[in-house]
Amino acid sequence: RLEADDLEDDTDGAWWRYVYVENTFVNLDLLRQGVVYFQNRYPNIRHSEALLQAEQEARQRRRGLWKNESR
């Protein structure tokens, strides 16, 4: 299921969606795995806090993209 936030698309025409597969919030899961970067587009901020926290957790645990990041 795709879920929009306040705006359907941004000024470039890109669609920003929250993706759910059954009970999994895919956006959050990908950030926790460290395979994507967090990007925020105001006013689409419904899940921003949780998504940013998931990226920070991946960085701290050196997952995915953050594997070789120096501390």
Side-chain angles (χ1 to χ4, degrees):
R1 157 175 69 92
L2 300 176
E3 179 182 293
D5 205 329
D6 287 345
L7 293 179
E8 289 292 317
D9 55 17
D10 67 16
T11 56
D12 298 323
W15 287 13
W16 289 77
R17 297 292 185 269
Y18 303 115
V19 180
Y20 296 89
V21 176
E22 296 179 7
N23 293 325
T24 300
F25 184 12
V26 176
N27 309 59
L28 187 68
D29 195 45
L30 292 172
L31 283 160
R32 282 185 178 144
Q33 292 176 48
V35 297
V36 297
Y37 294 100
F38 173 71
Q39 278 195 314
N40 200 29
R41 290 286 196 260
Y42 184 82
N44 292 346
I45 58 171
R46 183 178 313 147
H47 299 292
S48 293
E49 191 173 315
L51 295 169
L52 181 57
Q53 184 176 356
E55 181 183 273
Q56 290 170 341
E57 177 186 321
R59 287 182 90 151
Q60 290 171 350
R61 295 184 181 189
R62 295 179 159 213
R63 293 182 183 145
L65 298 165
W66 316 111
K67 182 178 179 180
N68 296 320
E69 185 179 68
S70 60
R71 291 185 186 222

Coordinates of all heavy atoms in Angstrom, one line a residue:
R1 N 0.8 -1.2 0.0 CA 0.0 0.0 0.0 C 0.9 1.2 0.0 O 1.9 1.3 0.7 CB -0.9 -0.1 1.2 CG -1.5 1.2 1.8 CD -2.4 0.9 2.9 NE -1.8 0.4 4.1 CZ -1.4 1.2 5.1 NH1 -1.5 2.5 5.0 NH2 -0.9 0.7 6.2
L2 N 0.5 2.2 -0.8 CA 1.2 3.5 -0.8 C 0.4 4.5 -0.1 O -0.8 4.7 -0.3 CB 1.5 3.9 -2.3 CG 2.3 3.0 -3.1 CD1 2.4 3.5 -4.6 CD2 3.7 2.8 -2.6
E3 N 1.1 5.3 0.7 CA 0.4 6.3 1.5 C 1.0 7.7 1.3 O 2.2 7.8 1.5 CB 0.4 5.9 3.0 CG -0.2 6.9 3.9 CD 0.0 6.4 5.4 OE1 -0.6 5.4 5.7 OE2 0.7 7.1 6.1
A4 N 0.2 8.7 0.9 CA 0.8 10.0 0.7 C 0.7 10.8 2.0 O -0.1 10.4 2.9 CB -0.1 10.8 -0.3
D5 N 1.5 11.8 2.1 CA 1.4 12.7 3.3 C 0.6 13.9 2.9 O -0.3 13.8 2.1 CB 2.9 13.0 3.7 CG 3.0 13.4 5.2 OD1 2.0 14.0 5.7 OD2 4.0 13.1 5.8
D6 N 1.0 15.1 3.3 CA 0.2 16.3 3.0 C 0.2 16.7 1.6 O -0.8 17.1 1.0 CB 0.8 17.5 3.9 CG 0.4 17.4 5.3 OD1 -0.5 16.6 5.6 OD2 1.0 18.1 6.2
L7 N 1.4 16.6 0.9 CA 1.5 16.9 -0.5 C 1.6 15.6 -1.3 O 2.3 14.7 -1.0 CB 2.7 17.8 -0.8 CG 2.7 19.2 -0.2 CD1 4.0 19.9 -0.6 CD2 1.5 20.0 -0.7
E8 N 0.9 15.6 -2.5 CA 0.9 14.4 -3.4 C 2.3 14.3 -4.1 O 2.8 13.2 -4.3 CB -0.2 14.5 -4.4 CG -1.6 14.3 -3.8 CD -1.8 12.9 -3.4 OE1 -1.4 12.0 -4.1 OE2 -2.4 12.7 -2.3
D9 N 2.9 15.4 -4.5 CA 4.2 15.4 -5.1 C 4.9 16.7 -4.8 O 4.3 17.6 -4.3 CB 4.1 15.2 -6.6 CG 3.2 16.2 -7.3 OD1 2.9 17.2 -6.8 OD2 2.8 15.9 -8.5
D10 N 6.2 16.7 -5.1 CA 7.0 17.9 -4.8 C 7.1 18.8 -6.1 O 6.4 18.5 -7.1 CB 8.4 17.6 -4.3 CG 9.3 16.9 -5.3 OD1 9.0 16.9 -6.5 OD2 10.3 16.3 -4.8
T11 N 7.8 19.9 -6.0 CA 7.9 20.9 -7.1 C 8.5 20.3 -8.3 O 8.3 20.8 -9.4 CB 8.7 22.1 -6.6 OG1 9.9 21.7 -6.2 CG2 7.9 22.9 -5.5
D12 N 9.2 19.2 -8.2 CA 9.8 18.5 -9.4 C 8.9 17.5 -10.0 O 9.3 16.8 -10.9 CB 11.2 17.9 -9.0 CG 12.2 18.9 -8.6 OD1 12.2 20.0 -9.1 OD2 13.0 18.6 -7.7
G13 N 7.7 17.3 -9.3 CA 6.8 16.3 -9.8 C 7.1 14.9 -9.2 O 6.4 13.9 -9.6
A14 N 8.0 14.8 -8.3 CA 8.3 13.4 -7.7 C 7.3 13.1 -6.7 O 6.8 13.9 -5.9 CB 9.7 13.5 -7.1
W15 N 6.9 11.8 -6.7 CA 5.9 11.3 -5.7 C 6.7 10.9 -4.5 O 7.7 10.2 -4.6 CB 5.2 10.1 -6.2 CG 4.1 10.4 -7.2 CD1 4.0 11.6 -8.0 CD2 3.2 9.5 -7.7 NE1 2.9 11.4 -8.8 CE2 2.4 10.2 -8.7 CE3 2.8 8.2 -7.4 CZ2 1.3 9.6 -9.3 CZ3 1.8 7.6 -8.0 CH2 1.0 8.3 -9.0
W16 N 6.3 11.4 -3.3 CA 6.8 11.0 -2.0 C 5.8 10.2 -1.3 O 4.7 10.7 -1.0 CB 7.2 12.2 -1.2 CG 8.4 12.9 -1.8 CD1 8.4 13.7 -2.9 CD2 9.8 12.8 -1.4 NE1 9.7 14.1 -3.2 CE2 10.5 13.6 -2.3 CE3 10.4 12.1 -0.4 CZ2 11.9 13.7 -2.1 CZ3 11.8 12.2 -0.2 CH2 12.5 13.0 -1.1
R17 N 6.1 8.9 -1.1 CA 5.1 8.0 -0.5 C 5.7 7.2 0.6 O 6.9 6.9 0.7 CB 4.6 7.0 -1.5 CG 3.8 7.6 -2.7 CD 2.5 8.2 -2.2 NE 1.7 8.7 -3.3 CZ 1.7 10.0 -3.7 NH1 2.6 10.8 -3.2 NH2 1.0 10.4 -4.7
Y18 N 4.9 6.8 1.6 CA 5.2 5.8 2.6 C 4.7 4.5 2.0 O 3.6 4.4 1.5 CB 4.5 6.1 3.9 CG 4.8 7.5 4.4 CD1 3.9 8.5 4.5 CD2 6.1 7.8 4.8 CE1 4.1 9.7 5.0 CE2 6.5 9.1 5.2 CZ 5.5 10.0 5.4 OH 5.8 11.3 5.8
V19 N 5.6 3.5 2.1 CA 5.3 2.2 1.5 C 5.1 1.1 2.6 O 5.9 1.0 3.5 CB 6.5 1.7 0.6 CG1 6.2 0.4 -0.1 CG2 6.7 2.8 -0.5
Y20 N 4.0 0.4 2.5 CA 3.7 -0.7 3.4 C 3.5 -2.0 2.6 O 2.8 -2.0 1.6 CB 2.4 -0.4 4.2 CG 2.5 0.9 5.1 CD1 2.2 2.1 4.6 CD2 2.9 0.7 6.4 CE1 2.3 3.2 5.4 CE2 3.0 1.8 7.2 CZ 2.7 3.1 6.7 OH 2.8 4.2 7.5
V21 N 4.1 -3.0 3.1 CA 3.8 -4.4 2.6 C 3.3 -5.2 3.8 O 4.1 -5.4 4.7 CB 5.1 -5.0 1.9 CG1 4.8 -6.4 1.5 CG2 5.6 -4.1 0.8
E22 N 2.1 -5.5 3.7 CA 1.4 -6.2 4.8 C 1.6 -5.3 6.1 O 1.2 -4.2 6.0 CB 1.9 -7.6 5.0 CG 1.5 -8.5 3.8 CD 2.0 -9.9 4.0 OE1 2.5 -10.3 5.0 OE2 1.8 -10.7 3.0
N23 N 2.3 -5.8 7.1 CA 2.5 -5.0 8.3 C 3.8 -4.3 8.4 O 4.2 -3.8 9.4 CB 2.2 -5.8 9.6 CG 0.8 -6.2 9.7 OD1 -0.1 -5.5 9.3 ND2 0.6 -7.4 10.2
T24 N 4.6 -4.3 7.3 CA 5.9 -3.8 7.3 C 5.9 -2.4 6.7 O 5.4 -2.2 5.6 CB 6.9 -4.7 6.5 OG1 6.9 -6.0 7.1 CG2 8.3 -4.1 6.5
F25 N 6.5 -1.4 7.5 CA 6.7 -0.1 7.0 C 8.0 -0.1 6.3 O 9.1 0.0 6.9 CB 6.6 0.9 8.2 CG 6.7 2.4 7.8 CD1 6.6 2.8 6.5 CD2 7.0 3.3 8.8 CE1 6.7 4.2 6.3 CE2 7.0 4.6 8.6 CZ 6.9 5.1 7.3
V26 N 8.0 -0.2 5.0 CA 9.2 -0.4 4.2 C 10.2 0.7 4.3 O 11.4 0.5 4.4 CB 8.8 -0.7 2.7 CG1 10.0 -0.8 1.8 CG2 7.9 -2.0 2.6
N27 N 9.7 1.9 4.3 CA 10.6 3.1 4.4 C 11.5 3.0 5.7 O 12.7 3.1 5.6 CB 9.8 4.4 4.4 CG 8.9 4.6 3.3 OD1 8.0 3.8 3.2 ND2 9.0 5.6 2.5
L28 N 10.8 2.7 6.8 CA 11.5 2.5 8.1 C 12.5 1.3 8.0 O 13.6 1.5 8.5 CB 10.4 2.4 9.2 CG 11.0 2.4 10.6 CD1 11.5 3.7 11.0 CD2 9.8 2.0 11.5
D29 N 12.0 0.2 7.5 CA 12.8 -1.0 7.4 C 14.1 -0.7 6.6 O 15.2 -1.1 7.0 CB 12.0 -2.1 6.9 CG 12.7 -3.5 7.1 OD1 13.1 -3.7 8.2 OD2 12.7 -4.3 6.1
L30 N 14.0 -0.1 5.5 CA 15.2 0.2 4.7 C 16.2 1.1 5.4 O 17.4 0.9 5.3 CB 14.8 0.8 3.3 CG 14.0 -0.1 2.4 CD1 13.5 0.7 1.2 CD2 14.8 -1.3 1.9
L31 N 15.6 2.1 6.1 CA 16.5 3.0 6.9 C 17.2 2.2 8.0 O 18.4 2.4 8.2 CB 15.7 4.2 7.4 CG 15.4 5.3 6.4 CD1 14.3 6.1 6.9 CD2 16.7 6.1 6.1
R32 N 16.5 1.4 8.7 CA 17.1 0.5 9.7 C 18.2 -0.4 9.2 O 19.2 -0.6 9.9 CB 16.1 -0.3 10.4 CG 15.2 0.4 11.4 CD 14.3 -0.5 12.1 NE 13.5 0.3 13.1 CZ 12.2 0.0 13.4 NH1 11.6 -1.0 12.8 NH2 11.6 0.7 14.3
Q33 N 18.1 -0.8 8.0 CA 19.1 -1.7 7.4 C 20.3 -0.9 6.8 O 21.3 -1.4 6.5 CB 18.5 -2.5 6.2 CG 17.5 -3.5 6.6 CD 16.9 -4.2 5.4 OE1 17.6 -4.6 4.5 NE2 15.6 -4.3 5.4
G34 N 20.1 0.4 6.7 CA 21.2 1.3 6.2 C 21.3 1.3 4.7 O 22.4 1.6 4.2
V35 N 20.3 0.9 4.0 CA 20.4 0.8 2.5 C 19.9 2.1 1.8 O 20.0 2.1 0.6 CB 19.8 -0.5 2.0 CG1 20.5 -1.7 2.5 CG2 18.3 -0.5 2.3
V36 N 19.3 3.0 2.5 CA 18.8 4.3 1.9 C 19.2 5.4 2.9 O 19.4 5.2 4.1 CB 17.3 4.3 1.7 CG1 16.9 3.2 0.7 CG2 16.5 4.1 3.0
Y37 N 19.1 6.6 2.4 CA 19.3 7.8 3.2 C 18.0 8.4 3.5 O 17.1 8.4 2.7 CB 20.1 8.9 2.4 CG 21.5 8.5 2.1 CD1 21.9 8.0 0.8 CD2 22.5 8.6 3.0 CE1 23.2 7.7 0.5 CE2 23.8 8.3 2.8 CZ 24.2 7.8 1.5 OH 25.5 7.5 1.2
F38 N 17.9 9.1 4.7 CA 16.7 9.8 5.0 C 16.6 11.1 4.3 O 17.6 11.9 4.2 CB 16.7 10.0 6.5 CG 15.5 10.9 7.0 CD1 14.2 10.5 7.0 CD2 15.8 12.2 7.4 CE1 13.2 11.3 7.4 CE2 14.8 13.0 7.8 CZ 13.5 12.6 7.8
Q39 N 15.5 11.4 3.7 CA 15.3 12.7 3.1 C 13.9 13.2 3.5 O 12.9 12.4 3.6 CB 15.3 12.7 1.6 CG 16.7 12.7 1.0 CD 16.6 13.0 -0.5 OE1 15.8 12.4 -1.2 NE2 17.4 13.9 -0.9
N40 N 13.8 14.5 3.8 CA 12.6 15.0 4.3 C 12.1 16.1 3.4 O 12.9 16.9 2.9 CB 12.8 15.6 5.7 CG 11.5 15.8 6.5 OD1 10.6 15.0 6.3 ND2 11.5 16.7 7.4
R41 N 10.8 16.2 3.0 CA 10.3 17.2 2.2 C 9.1 17.8 2.9 O 8.0 17.3 2.9 CB 9.8 16.7 0.8 CG 10.9 16.2 -0.1 CD 11.6 17.4 -0.7 NE 12.4 17.1 -1.8 CZ 13.7 16.9 -1.8 NH1 14.4 17.0 -0.6 NH2 14.4 16.6 -2.9
Y42 N 9.3 19.0 3.5 CA 8.3 19.7 4.2 C 7.2 20.0 3.2 O 7.5 20.4 2.1 CB 8.8 21.0 4.8 CG 7.8 21.7 5.7 CD1 7.5 21.3 6.9 CD2 7.0 22.7 5.1 CE1 6.5 21.9 7.7 CE2 6.1 23.4 5.8 CZ 5.8 22.9 7.1 OH 4.8 23.6 7.8
P43 N 5.9 19.9 3.5 CA 5.3 19.6 4.8 C 5.1 18.1 5.0 O 4.3 17.7 5.9 CB 4.0 20.3 4.7 CG 3.6 20.2 3.3 CD 4.9 20.3 2.5
N44 N 5.7 17.2 4.2 CA 5.5 15.8 4.4 C 6.4 15.2 5.5 O 7.5 14.7 5.2 CB 5.8 15.0 3.0 CG 4.8 15.4 2.0 OD1 3.7 15.9 2.3 ND2 5.1 15.0 0.8
I45 N 5.9 15.4 6.7 CA 6.8 15.1 7.9 C 6.1 14.2 8.9 O 6.6 14.0 10.0 CB 7.2 16.4 8.6 CG1 6.0 17.2 9.0 CG2 8.1 17.3 7.7 CD1 6.3 18.4 9.9
R46 N 5.1 13.5 8.4 CA 4.3 12.7 9.4 C 5.1 11.7 10.1 O 5.0 11.5 11.3 CB 3.2 11.9 8.6 CG 2.3 11.1 9.5 CD 1.2 10.4 8.7 NE 0.5 11.4 7.8 CZ 0.0 11.0 6.6 NH1 0.1 9.8 6.2 NH2 -0.6 11.9 5.9
H47 N 6.1 11.0 9.5 CA 6.9 10.0 10.1 C 8.4 10.4 10.3 O 9.2 9.6 10.5 CB 6.8 8.7 9.3 CG 5.5 8.2 9.2 ND1 4.8 7.6 10.3 CD2 4.6 8.0 8.1 CE1 3.6 7.2 9.9 NE2 3.5 7.5 8.6
S48 N 8.7 11.7 10.1 CA 10.0 12.2 10.1 C 10.9 11.8 11.3 O 12.0 11.3 11.1 CB 10.1 13.7 9.9 OG 9.6 14.1 8.7
E49 N 10.3 11.9 12.4 CA 11.0 11.6 13.7 C 11.5 10.1 13.7 O 12.6 9.8 13.9 CB 10.2 12.0 14.9 CG 11.0 11.9 16.2 CD 10.1 12.4 17.3 OE1 9.5 13.5 17.2 OE2 10.2 11.8 18.4
A50 N 10.6 9.2 13.4 CA 10.9 7.8 13.4 C 11.9 7.4 12.3 O 12.8 6.6 12.5 CB 9.6 7.0 13.3
L51 N 11.7 8.0 11.2 CA 12.6 7.7 10.0 C 14.0 8.2 10.3 O 15.0 7.5 10.1 CB 12.0 8.3 8.8 CG 10.7 7.7 8.3 CD1 10.1 8.6 7.2 CD2 10.8 6.3 7.9
L52 N 14.1 9.4 10.8 CA 15.4 10.0 11.2 C 16.1 9.1 12.2 O 17.3 8.8 12.2 CB 15.3 11.4 11.6 CG 16.7 12.1 11.9 CD1 17.6 12.1 10.8 CD2 16.4 13.5 12.4
Q53 N 15.4 8.7 13.2 CA 15.9 7.9 14.3 C 16.4 6.5 13.8 O 17.4 6.0 14.2 CB 14.8 7.6 15.4 CG 15.3 6.9 16.6 CD 14.2 6.7 17.6 OE1 13.1 7.3 17.5 NE2 14.5 6.0 18.7
A54 N 15.7 6.0 12.8 CA 16.1 4.7 12.2 C 17.4 4.9 11.5 O 18.3 4.0 11.5 CB 15.0 4.2 11.2
E55 N 17.6 6.0 10.7 CA 18.8 6.2 10.1 C 20.0 6.4 11.1 O 21.1 5.8 10.9 CB 18.8 7.4 9.1 CG 20.1 7.6 8.4 CD 20.1 8.8 7.6 OE1 19.7 8.7 6.4 OE2 20.6 9.9 8.0
Q56 N 19.7 7.1 12.1 CA 20.7 7.3 13.1 C 21.2 6.0 13.8 O 22.3 5.8 14.1 CB 20.2 8.3 14.2 CG 20.1 9.7 13.6 CD 19.4 10.7 14.6 OE1 18.7 10.3 15.5 NE2 19.6 12.0 14.3
E57 N 20.2 5.2 14.0 CA 20.5 3.8 14.6 C 21.4 3.0 13.6 O 22.3 2.4 14.1 CB 19.2 3.1 14.9 CG 19.4 1.7 15.4 CD 18.1 0.9 15.5 OE1 17.0 1.5 15.9 OE2 18.1 -0.3 15.2
A58 N 21.1 3.1 12.4 CA 21.9 2.3 11.4 C 23.3 2.9 11.3 O 24.3 2.1 11.3 CB 21.2 2.5 10.0
R59 N 23.4 4.2 11.5 CA 24.8 4.8 11.5 C 25.5 4.4 12.7 O 26.7 4.0 12.6 CB 24.7 6.3 11.5 CG 24.2 6.9 10.2 CD 24.2 8.4 10.2 NE 25.5 8.9 9.9 CZ 25.8 10.0 9.3 NH1 24.7 10.9 9.0 NH2 27.0 10.4 8.9
Q60 N 24.9 4.4 13.9 CA 25.5 4.0 15.1 C 26.0 2.5 15.1 O 27.0 2.2 15.6 CB 24.6 4.2 16.3 CG 24.4 5.7 16.6 CD 23.3 5.9 17.6 OE1 22.6 5.0 18.0 NE2 23.2 7.2 18.1
R61 N 25.2 1.7 14.5 CA 25.5 0.3 14.4 C 26.3 -0.1 13.2 O 26.5 -1.3 12.9 CB 24.2 -0.5 14.5 CG 23.5 -0.3 15.9 CD 22.3 -1.1 16.1 NE 21.8 -0.8 17.4 CZ 20.9 -1.4 18.0 NH1 20.3 -2.4 17.4 NH2 20.4 -1.1 19.2
R62 N 26.6 0.9 12.3 CA 27.4 0.7 11.1 C 26.8 -0.3 10.2 O 27.4 -1.2 9.7 CB 28.8 0.4 11.5 CG 29.5 1.5 12.2 CD 30.9 1.1 12.6 NE 31.6 2.4 12.8 CZ 32.9 2.5 12.5 NH1 33.6 1.5 12.0 NH2 33.5 3.7 12.7
R63 N 25.5 -0.1 9.9 CA 24.8 -1.0 9.0 C 24.8 -0.4 7.5 O 24.8 0.8 7.4 CB 23.4 -1.2 9.4 CG 23.2 -1.9 10.7 CD 21.8 -2.1 11.0 NE 21.6 -2.8 12.3 CZ 20.6 -2.5 13.1 NH1 19.7 -1.6 12.8 NH2 20.5 -3.1 14.2
G64 N 24.9 -1.3 6.6 CA 24.7 -0.8 5.2 C 25.7 0.3 4.7 O 26.9 0.1 4.8
L65 N 25.1 1.4 4.3 CA 25.9 2.5 3.8 C 26.9 3.0 4.9 O 27.9 3.7 4.5 CB 24.9 3.7 3.5 CG 23.9 3.4 2.4 CD1 22.8 4.5 2.4 CD2 24.6 3.4 1.0
W66 N 26.6 2.8 6.1 CA 27.4 3.3 7.2 C 28.5 2.4 7.6 O 29.3 2.7 8.6 CB 26.5 3.7 8.4 CG 25.3 4.4 7.9 CD1 24.0 4.0 8.0 CD2 25.2 5.7 7.3 NE1 23.2 4.9 7.4 CE2 23.9 6.0 7.0 CE3 26.2 6.7 7.0 CZ2 23.4 7.1 6.4 CZ3 25.7 7.8 6.4 CH2 24.4 8.1 6.1
K67 N 28.6 1.2 7.0 CA 29.6 0.2 7.4 C 31.0 0.7 7.5 O 31.7 0.4 8.5 CB 29.5 -1.0 6.4 CG 30.4 -2.1 6.7 CD 30.3 -3.2 5.7 CE 31.2 -4.4 6.0 NZ 31.0 -5.4 5.0
N68 N 31.5 1.5 6.6 CA 32.8 2.0 6.6 C 33.0 3.4 7.1 O 34.1 4.0 6.9 CB 33.5 1.8 5.2 CG 33.5 0.4 4.8 OD1 33.8 -0.5 5.6 ND2 33.2 0.1 3.6
E69 N 32.0 4.0 7.6 CA 32.1 5.4 8.1 C 32.9 5.4 9.3 O 32.8 4.7 10.3 CB 30.7 5.9 8.4 CG 30.7 7.4 8.8 CD 29.3 7.9 9.1 OE1 28.7 7.5 10.1 OE2 28.8 8.7 8.3
S70 N 33.8 6.4 9.3 CA 34.7 6.6 10.5 C 34.0 7.3 11.6 O 33.1 8.1 11.3 CB 36.0 7.3 10.1 OG 35.6 8.6 9.6
R71 N 34.3 7.0 12.8 CA 33.6 7.6 13.9 C 34.2 8.9 14.3 O 34.9 9.5 14.4 CB 33.6 6.7 15.1 CG 32.7 5.5 14.8 CD 32.6 4.6 16.0 NE 31.8 3.4 15.6 CZ 30.9 2.9 16.3 NH1 30.6 3.3 17.4 NH2 30.3 1.8 15.9

